[in-house]
């Protein structure tokens, strides 16, 4: 299951203000208050700092002419509502792949975010300063929600090749992790 950090905008002006060179992709509705999606797309494509951000239109406008207009204005994809979240995620992955934007590997649960490629975690934006073992343990637990593990299972998974590690090592790392969280 892929997780993406999201930033929402509730009208066209806010969407334009939030778009920046750090934005990986924009999912854009056409029928927004204020500026419509077509105008936002046009303005994003006209600004040097946002001209290459991939854009996917997600709209209830299902007519062929609407789809053609969106694509001609510079959108990378156009989806019509209703559409399942799984289809949206699949299109996001495809557009990111096509645009050369590497998918960020991020796990997010409420205010806790794990950046897998950077081996770091934040809670409410504050870096937790995890050791590599603490990071691996937290990542493993978050990837398997609602599942209980024995100490031995965690040892075999996290400390695969360690010969002299005891079950109490798991206790110590869990204790440290809890303190940091």
């Amino acid at each position: 299951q892929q997780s993406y950090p999201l930033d929402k905008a509730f009208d066209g002006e806010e969407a334009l203000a939030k778009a920046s060179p750090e934005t990986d992709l924009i999912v854009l509705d056409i029928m927004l208050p204020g500026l419509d999606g077509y105008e936002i797309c046009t303005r994003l494509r006209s600004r040097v700092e946002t001209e290459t951000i991939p854009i996917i239109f997600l709209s209830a406008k299902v007519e062929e002419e609407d789809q053609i207009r969106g694509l001609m204005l510079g959108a990378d994809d156009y989806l019509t509502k209703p559409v399942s979240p799984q289809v949206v995620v699949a299109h996001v992955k495809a557009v990111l792949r096509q645009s050369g934007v590497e998918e960020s590997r991020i796990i997010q649960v409420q205010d806790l975010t794990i950046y897998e490629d950077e081996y770091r975690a934040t809670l409410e934006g504050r870096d937790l300063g995890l050791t590599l073992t603490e990071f691996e343990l937290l990542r493993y637990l978050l990837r398997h929600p609602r599942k209980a593990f024995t100490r031995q299972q965690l040892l075999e998974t996290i400390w695969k090749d360690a010969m002299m590690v005891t079950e109490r090592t798991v206790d110590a790392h869990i204790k440290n992790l809890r303190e940091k969280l």
Side-chain angles (χ1 to χ4, degrees):
Q1 177 178 341
Q2 183 72 41
S3 177
Y4 296 97
L6 299 175
D7 195 4
K8 299 177 210 165
F10 297 96
D11 62 41
E13 291 296 336
E14 184 180 4
L16 279 175
K18 287 186 173 186
S20 74
E22 289 78 40
T23 304
D24 290 330
L25 180 134
I26 296 172
V27 177
L28 185 59
D29 195 346
I30 293 171
M31 296 181 285
L32 290 171
L35 300 174
D36 69 18
Y38 294 135
E39 180 63 24
I40 294 166
C41 185
T42 300
R43 289 186 188 188
L44 289 170
R45 290 294 180 245
S46 70
R47 294 176 9 198
V48 172
E49 64 273 13
T50 59
E51 68 185 354
T52 60
I53 298 172
I55 297 172
I56 298 175
F57 274 117
L58 177 59
S59 179
K61 293 176 97 49
V62 298
E63 298 299 320
E64 185 177 276
E65 63 192 40
D66 295 314
Q67 295 175 41
I68 291 170
R69 182 177 178 196
L71 295 168
M72 295 301 289
L73 288 174
D76 298 276
D77 200 353
Y78 191 110
L79 294 169
T80 58
K81 298 175 187 176
V83 63
S84 75
Q86 294 85 357
V87 169
V88 174
V89 169
H91 279 260
V92 165
K93 286 181 178 185
V95 168
L96 287 173
R97 198 172 41 249
Q98 291 168 358
S99 68
V101 174
E102 193 174 307
E103 283 187 45
S104 56
R105 294 178 36 203
I106 296 172
I107 301 171
Q108 186 151 15
V109 178
Q110 295 177 355
D111 293 333
L112 176 64
T113 307
I114 293 188
Y115 301 90
E116 293 185 286
D117 294 336
E118 301 172 33
Y119 287 93
R120 71 180 186 93
T122 62
L123 181 62
E124 297 174 342
R126 178 182 51 86
D127 194 286
L128 293 175
L130 301 178
T131 66
L132 181 59
T133 303
E134 291 166 350
F135 175 85
E136 293 291 349
L137 185 57
L138 181 59
R139 174 170 62 177
Y140 186 73
L141 293 172
L142 289 177
R143 282 190 172 172
H144 301 90
R146 294 185 278 295
K147 184 167 183 198
F149 297 98
T150 65
R151 289 180 183 94
Q152 190 59 43
Q153 288 172 316
L154 292 173
L155 277 174
E156 291 169 5
T157 303
I158 306 299
W159 291 269
K160 299 175 189 92
D161 302 323
M163 302 268 252
M164 303 299 288
V165 178
T166 68
E167 288 185 353
R168 292 296 166 208
T169 300
V170 175
D171 295 346
H173 283 287
I174 292 287
K175 177 183 172 279
N176 291 342
L177 199 49
R178 283 181 175 157
E179 287 175 358
K180 290 181 179 182
L181 290 171

